[in-house]
Amino acid sequence: KKKTVSFSSMPNDRKINSTAACISLMLEGCELKKVRSNSRMYSRFFVLDADMRSVRWEPSKKDSEKAKIEIKSVKEVRVGKKTPVLRSNGLSDQFPDECAFSIIYGDNYESLDLVASSADVVSAWVMGLRYLVSYGKHSPEAPGTGHPSLRTSWISSVFDLADLEKSGRIPVSRAVQLIKALNPGMKTSTIELKFKELQKASERPGTEVACELFVEAYCELCTRPEIFFLLVQFSSNKEYLGVKDLLMFLEVEQGMEGVTEEKCLEIVSKYEPSKEGREKGYLAIDGFTRYLLSADCSIFDPQHRKVCQDMAQPLSHYYISSAHSACLLEDNFWGRSDISGYISALGLGCRSIELVLWDGPEGEPVVYTSPSAASCVPFRAVVGLIDQHAFTASAYPLILCLVVRCSAPQQRLAAQCLRKTLGEKLYLEPPNPVASYLPSPEELKGRILIKGKKLPPTCEDSEGEVSDEEEGWELARRLGQEDREAPEGGGLRRVRLSRELSELVSLCQAVPFQDFESSRRGQRYWEMCSFSEVEAGRFANECPAELVSYNKRFLSRIYPSPMRIDASNMNPQDFWKCGCQMVAMNYQTPGLMMDLNAGWFRQNGACGYVLRPAIMREEVSYFSANAKDSLPGVPAQLLHLKVISGQNLPKPKGSGAKGEVVEPYVCAEIHGIPADCAEHRTKTALQSGDNPIFDESLEFQINLPELAVLRFVVLDDDYIGDEFIAQYTIPFECLQPGYRHVPLQSLAGEPLPHATLFVHVAITDRRGGGKGHRRGLAGRRGRRVREYTSTKATGIKAIDEVFRTATQPLREATDLRENVQNALVSFKELCGLTPAANMKQCILTVSTWLLHSDSAPSVTLNLAEQYPPMEAQGPIPDLLRKVLTAYETMIQTSRTLIESADAVYGKLIQAQQAGMDFHKELHRIETKEGLRGRKLQKALESFAWNITVLKGQADLLKHAKAEALDNLWQIHNAGQSCGIGRNGSASPEPSRLQAPLEPIPE
């Protein structure tokens, strides 16, 4: 009886690091579950025939000749639930996506649907099958025979260089150092253990190793199966990526645009370690691994490494990186004031620093962050430091928030010091009385603004009284340092202010906040308010829309509650979602909140300024910060995240009592508006060493992408003490799609050398690395009634009549977009792809089926036509006919969209502009109509909603049209490169197919 081996999971010592290892596993055979079309599953033993020409299974009711699939009949091997049988409702929850695969075979494109016990087993079968299929009728050599591979030759040459004595052997210690140099981050103990194992197995113990053993050790230690699997997927010969393979990988999987063969050769020459590979333009597994780990393949979009946002908007339209007590290195109570805290904050791009001035013992002011600090810093020294470091990390304006706690004579000295030290950098020009908004960061480049109190114009003396801010007094009161009583009956405390210090304040004049109505009527654009965390939190919960509206014109600064005596941080997202620009953080305190702040401000060249979402800047717009659902006119996006593996993960700090083994899991968190906040975790990787495999897919819906932040946290499940291993925080807008490594950081935000997570990112509403909008493939949610966005009644007849004209165009815009989206989903599903796939992948998949067939049905793309039809000559199998029908539907719906979009867009914009014409007259009309109180509030809200919906829907239609044109361009491009296109000239540029729509004015 044939010996059968069933792998309940891949044995730990069996590492799939070559195609030979995959085929060897298939030759031994293993148990897989066969899924029938009635959704029932049966365990069967699958094995590859010794001649490697067919796969058989047993037991089977069929005779042995029928219970098999010939390799030459295989059209495609799909990973995951990519066929109608595996997608069926009865099965979808019974096993994870990564444990399923399907073999599409025969002239009728039948599918054999299989479920394995682990993702590793799937990888081995899929890799082996794809290898065998690609060799077609040529019988491949048995594993382990034939010429030495590109890789083996290179490793042998490395060994020869290290063999100084030319004896054919090198000391184990030298061999260990060599592998460590080639694979930085790997532990010495791991390498030594591998040599001991191999020496023992080959019965050649000793202090030296031969070349053959060195090659074996290197291949076992330095081959990452998940990357090898990826290489096999894209390689035409399954051993390395040629230039065309690499180009295909970069375009199709990594979403890169405009990739040339020259660019691919540059990558090969930069990352391929073997001389032969570089000369021939081949990227083997080691070069491919190096490339995927490099900065050129980072998860962080390189265009965000420099300033990439419009910096000419008013200052109030940006989030501004702000520090609370920057000079404190520890907590508020026992911290020591230390000058290096300022250097650190400014070096991280901080653009707003708080300085609390106190009377110094030498007659000169000093800076304490609290009176209990063990030492104080002379104000003069701090200003000198600011002058030196203000613009090292960012050229954009720095705001110094002065909280004055010193006497008038020492205030004069402080003012003289600021003028003398900062000189021309100090911004002293008075505000422009005819302007409505603050100047832009671009206009204020290289300038330092002083935020503080100002004497009233009526005061002509050298000093006067002004109302004081609460900030800073609470702590003084608690520590018994308070020497000024609050006025009787409450009210604001009064303090003396010198004229010299008052004259330094121009664009950031601190005023007390009364209420939103008073601010709307009386606050001038250069006046700003500071709110305590508690007060701002109350506004954010009770009247978020008013806080958003307030922040359109005025700067607001939020400072931490004085109860935070441990210098902990508030959640900045709680206030960013309401448009608050300056959320003052305790930079010296690491943790989640500081990670969010640091990650967030990385997105615009780390310059300390981030442009707020358009919906928070436009004069008339509806935005509810506490929305629990998608927003009008903002396209929700789906983030598909696959956490594949971890590399060189350190042990948690303070886990000295533990053994060597870390049992990690990964948490992916989305932070943003309440509707977006979510967290998913992977399973724990047990006994996995430093390089765990997770292989788990997570999904998030993002309703306001511009405000969302993704945070990866790696934690230890088997911990004693601290479970934290590492983290990385990245704004959603900076994510690059495709296979990426996440560079992990410590709790304090410092890079952890060689510690990474390997992930795959796909965003279904957005193409590749571009910043396009709605790709609109939210996946099918069964048959649902189509939802139309509509306008709301304001209660003012003339205005409602204008908005009513938009009812029909709004429906048409939704129909045009959704018809294309549904057709795209159907086409992609029939191609065996996910909604995240692009059009190029679909065409290439269809062409692959046709090329892997003896009696290939003739299907061509007629590229001479603007909307290329896919035409079949002669009879075609049922699956292919369905694909052609779905393609035809997609082309027709796209054509309707492209040809109708301009007219519908015009109607929407016309209604929006007609509505905006009422905006200036709105208050007069309200009075005339007698609207007040709740009715007035409702009317204003409905008006803003309608304007936002019309602009948003017009925007979505514009992007859908651009998207459809881009799909046509991809069809032309793919049709030519894969050989099924005919009559093709050069690919049309997307813009030439149809003039683009005009951008929508804000």
Side-chain angles (χ1 to χ4, degrees):
K1 190 177 186 310
K2 190 190 293 179
K3 181 184 175 193
T4 63
V5 185
S6 171
F7 295 106
S8 57
S9 66
M10 195 68 77
N12 279 344
D13 58 345
R14 180 177 195 131
K15 193 160 186 187
I16 297 293
N17 56 15
S18 68
T19 329
C22 297
I23 290 171
S24 132
L25 178 129
M26 291 163 70
L27 286 164
E28 287 176 27
C30 74
E31 202 170 277
L32 300 169
K33 286 192 170 74
K34 187 168 176 277
V35 185
R36 291 261 182 90
S37 54
N38 61 6
S39 297
R40 295 181 69 175
M41 293 199 282
Y42 302 88
S43 284
R44 296 288 180 263
F45 185 78
F46 283 76
V47 66
L48 176 66
D49 270 357
D51 64 2
M52 294 188 280
R53 290 176 183 272
S54 49
V55 172
R56 298 178 181 274
W57 60 92
E58 56 182 43
S60 170
K61 288 177 184 168
K62 298 176 182 174
D63 62 57
S64 61
E65 281 309 298
K66 287 189 177 169
K68 72 171 190 179
I69 290 177
E70 290 190 355
I71 297 295
K72 67 177 184 184
S73 74
V74 175
K75 307 284 187 240
E76 184 194 1
V77 186
R78 299 179 183 175
V79 186
K81 302 170 190 171
K82 302 279 174 57
T83 61
V85 171
L86 289 176
R87 278 201 196 98
S88 68
N89 295 335
L91 287 175
S92 52
D93 302 330
Q94 290 187 30
F95 48 87
D97 194 64
E98 52 273 10
C99 286
F101 70 106
S102 303
I103 302 169
I104 312 294
Y105 67 97
D107 291 340
N108 288 326
Y109 293 76
E110 294 168 68
S111 74
L112 173 64
D113 299 302
L114 301 167
V115 177
S117 54
S118 76
D120 289 337
V121 177
V122 171
S123 298
W125 274 90
V126 172
M127 210 183 298
L129 284 166
R130 283 178 176 166
Y131 174 81
L132 294 169
V133 169
S134 73
Y135 275 94
K137 301 182 194 71
H138 312 294
S139 180
E141 292 168 339
T145 64
H147 303 291
S149 68
L150 204 65
R151 185 184 205 197
T152 311
S153 310
W154 166 65
I155 302 166
S156 304
S157 69
V158 170
F159 178 89
D160 293 342
L161 286 172
D163 181 10
L164 305 173
E165 298 79 19
K166 301 300 168 207
S167 63
R169 303 177 74 77
I170 61 171
V172 171
S173 58
R174 195 183 300 164
V176 169
Q177 287 312 309
L178 204 50
I179 287 182
K180 201 166 165 56
L182 292 170
N183 197 339
M186 189 172 281
K187 285 181 184 167
T188 307
S189 57
T190 308
I191 307 170
E192 286 171 345
L193 190 64
K194 179 55 70 181
F195 277 119
K196 278 181 189 162
E197 272 176 30
L198 293 176
Q199 283 180 324
K200 188 177 176 186
S202 63
E203 297 177 357
R204 287 186 200 155
T207 56
E208 291 189 320
V209 293
C211 182
E212 196 181 329
L213 194 123
F214 178 77
V215 170
E216 192 181 349
Y218 178 86
C219 288
E220 289 202 14
L221 286 166
C222 303
T223 307
R224 284 176 45 192
E226 70 278 24
I227 291 183
F228 182 68
F229 183 46
L230 193 55
L231 180 134
V232 170
Q233 207 177 325
F234 282 88
S235 162
S236 38
N237 80 336
K238 310 301 166 198
E239 292 298 335
Y240 52 76
L241 295 173
V243 169
K244 284 193 163 53
D245 300 333
L246 182 56
L247 192 136
M248 185 71 68
F249 171 73
L250 297 176
E251 277 195 344
V252 168
E253 203 52 72
Q254 303 297 86
M256 286 169 69
E257 293 173 356
V259 188
T260 59
E261 292 198 1
E262 290 70 36
K263 171 70 182 165
C264 294
L265 283 168
E266 271 176 44
I267 291 173
V268 172
S269 64
K270 187 171 178 182
Y271 296 105
E272 174 53 42
S274 72
K275 187 164 182 272
E276 186 191 350
R278 290 196 298 273
E279 285 169 357
K280 292 183 175 173
Y282 296 157
L283 194 63
I285 180 69
D286 298 287
F288 189 42
T289 305
R290 288 180 181 191
Y291 170 63
L292 287 173
L293 279 163
S294 72
D296 288 344
C297 199
S298 164
I299 190 169
F300 191 93
D301 190 339
Q303 73 180 39
H304 287 273
R305 293 192 191 286
K306 50 188 188 295
V307 174
C308 57
Q309 296 177 345
D310 175 9
M311 299 304 285
Q313 302 263 345
L315 210 57
S316 60
H317 287 185
Y318 298 84
Y319 296 111
I320 303 171
S321 180
S322 307
H324 180 228
S325 35
C327 76
L328 229 73
L329 289 186
E330 293 164 42
D331 61 48
N332 275 341
F333 253 166
W334 319 112
R336 295 175 60 79
S337 294
D338 183 317
I339 213 152
S340 66
Y342 289 108
I343 302 174
S344 163
L346 291 168
L348 291 168
C350 178
R351 297 288 82 197
S352 164
I353 281 180
E354 176 195 46
L355 300 175
V356 187
L357 275 60
W358 300 84
D359 279 334
E362 313 277 312
E364 280 204 30
V366 293
V367 171
Y368 286 109
T369 42
S370 79
S372 73
S375 62
C376 56
V377 184
F379 180 68
R380 191 177 299 277
V382 175
V383 176
L385 197 79
I386 289 169
D387 180 53
Q388 205 178 332
H389 296 276
F391 301 106
T392 49
S394 169
Y396 292 100
L398 174 67
I399 301 170
L400 297 184
C401 302
L402 295 189
V403 180
V404 180
R405 297 280 171 262
C406 59
S407 59
Q410 294 209 8
Q411 289 175 31
R412 289 188 194 100
L413 289 175
Q416 287 162 18
C417 169
L418 285 165
R419 277 183 188 270
K420 186 179 172 188
T421 312
L422 302 178
E424 287 295 301
K425 291 176 190 158
L426 212 52
Y427 185 91
L428 300 171
E429 292 137 52
N432 177 357
V434 296
S436 302
Y437 286 93
L438 287 161
S440 69
E442 192 59 47
E443 291 171 78
L444 297 169
K445 248 182 173 176
R447 307 301 291 271
I448 295 176
L449 312 180
I450 304 294
K451 178 231 165 203
K453 291 285 177 182
K454 209 165 168 60
L455 290 173
T458 51
C459 173
E460 292 174 6
D461 300 336
S462 61
E463 59 184 73
E465 273 201 349
V466 291
S467 62
D468 189 18
E469 297 184 63
E470 270 302 294
E471 192 170 2
W473 279 122
E474 189 68 37
L475 204 56
R477 191 180 302 130
R478 187 170 340 161
L479 296 165
Q481 300 282 332
E482 163 122 61
D483 59 352
R484 271 166 268 198
E485 285 300 314
E488 284 180 31
L492 292 167
R493 190 190 315 272
R494 311 289 293 173
V495 289
R496 303 292 294 172
L497 180 68
S498 77
R499 177 164 295 282
E500 286 91 331
L501 206 54
S502 168
E503 284 170 353
L504 298 184
V505 177
S506 164
L507 292 179
C508 297
Q509 182 182 338
V511 295
F513 179 77
Q514 291 169 312
D515 56 64
F516 290 116
E517 188 52 35
S518 306
S519 296
R520 189 163 76 95
R521 294 186 186 285
Q523 190 171 332
R524 292 166 300 186
Y525 72 85
W526 61 84
E527 295 175 333
M528 65 174 286
C529 299
S530 288
F531 301 89
S532 80
E533 170 191 353
V534 176
E535 186 183 18
R538 195 178 77 247
F539 292 144
N541 287 324
E542 292 173 9
C543 42
E546 288 178 80
L547 189 52
V548 169
S549 183
Y550 172 85
N551 285 321
K552 286 178 186 177
R553 274 191 67 202
F554 310 117
L555 285 176
S556 60
R557 180 173 179 275
I558 317 299
Y559 58 90
S561 158
M563 302 307 287
R564 293 183 182 275
I565 56 173
D566 58 351
S568 60
N569 276 306
M570 52 191 160
N571 185 344
Q573 283 276 7
D574 290 345
F575 307 104
W576 290 339
K577 70 179 185 186
C578 294
C580 301
Q581 299 86 349
M582 299 158 73
V583 182
M585 304 294 284
N586 288 309
Y587 269 59
Q588 72 277 18
T589 309
L592 164 63
M593 304 313 173
M594 205 53 218
D595 291 346
L596 292 177
N597 194 72
W600 179 251
F601 282 105
R602 227 178 264 141
Q603 68 182 287
N604 191 24
C607 74
Y609 285 82
V610 167
L611 188 62
R612 295 184 319 179
I615 201 165
M616 290 188 181
R617 304 192 309 264
E618 289 153 357
E619 193 177 350
V620 181
S621 65
Y622 177 88
F623 173 68
S624 170
N626 295 328
K628 297 279 190 292
D629 205 347
S630 55
L631 304 163
V634 179
Q637 301 196 347
L638 268 184
L639 169 64
H640 308 261
L641 188 65
K642 186 171 190 182
V643 182
I644 302 166
S645 60
Q647 292 72 47
N648 306 312
L649 299 180
K651 284 167 65 177
K653 277 189 175 167
S655 62
K658 284 181 56 168
E660 277 300 300
V661 181
V662 174
E663 294 193 340
Y665 63 97
V666 178
C667 265
E669 307 164 348
I670 294 285
H671 298 265
I673 60 170
D676 292 344
C677 291
E679 177 183 317
H680 296 310
R681 60 158 284 179
T682 66
K683 57 184 174 294
T684 301
L686 300 168
Q687 306 291 316
S688 58
D690 306 328
N691 304 307
I693 298 280
F694 300 104
D695 229 344
E696 207 158 330
S697 302
L698 314 171
E699 196 175 278
F700 298 91
Q701 178 166 318
I702 316 289
N703 294 293
L704 185 55
E706 290 170 282
L707 212 59
V709 177
L710 170 63
R711 181 172 184 254
F712 294 95
V713 199
V714 187
L715 301 161
D716 187 3
D717 218 356
D718 177 36
Y719 71 98
I720 298 169
D722 191 2
E723 60 176 345
F724 178 88
I725 296 175
Q727 63 85 24
Y728 181 72
T729 309
I730 178 171
F732 181 80
E733 293 284 290
C734 300
L735 283 171
Q736 289 220 93
Y739 288 92
R740 307 285 173 183
H741 280 92
V742 177
L744 294 172
Q745 298 177 341
S746 70
L747 191 63
E750 290 144 358
L752 293 168
H754 313 299
T756 52
L757 282 179
F758 187 43
V759 300
H760 181 264
V761 175
I763 297 160
T764 53
D765 294 339
R766 205 172 71 181
R767 171 147 188 254
K771 289 285 172 279
H773 271 267
R774 186 91 179 156
R775 268 204 113 57
L777 304 173
R780 284 176 160 164
R781 298 191 180 92
R783 286 186 175 277
R784 59 187 177 85
V785 178
R786 184 166 290 180
E787 289 174 11
Y788 294 97
T789 308
S790 57
T791 54
K792 293 181 178 178
T794 60
I796 301 166
K797 192 178 175 187
I799 296 177
D800 286 342
E801 276 173 11
V802 165
F803 287 132
R804 215 169 285 127
T805 63
T807 307
Q808 190 55 32
L810 279 172
R811 286 183 75 89
E812 286 172 24
T814 304
D815 286 338
L816 286 170
R817 284 187 298 106
E818 294 220 356
N819 289 346
V820 173
Q821 285 171 24
N822 293 342
L824 277 167
V825 172
S826 298
F827 180 53
K828 290 179 185 187
E829 280 188 357
L830 283 164
C831 291
L833 296 167
T834 65
N838 58 38
M839 190 49 59
K840 203 163 189 174
Q841 281 169 295
C842 297
I843 303 299
L844 293 171
T845 301
V846 174
S847 74
T848 313
W849 297 347
L850 301 171
L851 297 173
H852 283 159
S853 182
D854 283 342
S855 53
S858 177
V859 174
T860 54
L861 271 172
N862 184 355
L863 300 181
E865 297 193 28
Q866 184 182 345
Y867 301 95
M870 199 180 272
E871 297 159 346
Q873 277 75 41
I876 55 169
D878 190 42
L879 176 71
L880 210 50
R881 183 173 303 286
K882 284 180 181 170
V883 169
L884 262 62
T885 307
Y887 175 84
E888 180 60 24
T889 307
M890 181 201 71
I891 285 290
Q892 288 310 323
T893 54
S894 299
R895 180 176 190 158
T896 309
L897 167 68
I898 291 166
E899 291 174 355
S900 315
D902 288 20
V904 178
Y905 175 91
K907 288 176 192 169
L908 290 173
I909 289 303
Q910 195 180 345
Q912 188 234 5
Q913 286 169 348
M916 282 303 285
D917 290 343
F918 283 106
H919 179 241
K920 295 181 182 67
E921 298 291 303
L922 209 52
H923 283 291
R924 187 184 60 76
I925 298 169
E926 287 158 8
T927 314
K928 187 181 164 192
E929 296 274 333
L931 293 178
R932 54 174 67 86
R934 186 76 198 98
K935 278 189 176 175
L936 171 62
Q937 187 61 36
K938 196 90 183 104
L940 290 172
E941 245 177 50
S942 296
F943 182 82
W945 165 276
N946 294 344
I947 294 293
T948 307
V949 161
L950 291 173
K951 181 183 181 307
Q953 293 297 313
D955 235 339
L956 290 179
L957 189 60
K958 178 179 77 165
H959 288 299
K961 179 184 173 182
E963 200 68 45
L965 290 169
D966 182 54
N967 279 338
L968 289 181
W969 178 78
Q970 285 188 54
I971 290 168
H972 272 89
N973 202 313
Q976 283 184 322
S977 64
C978 71
I980 65 166
R982 62 183 175 85
N983 307 331
S985 55
S987 299
E989 287 301 312
S991 56
R992 288 191 204 139
L993 289 169
Q994 189 96 5
L997 294 165
E998 287 302 304
I1000 299 168
E1002 280 193 9

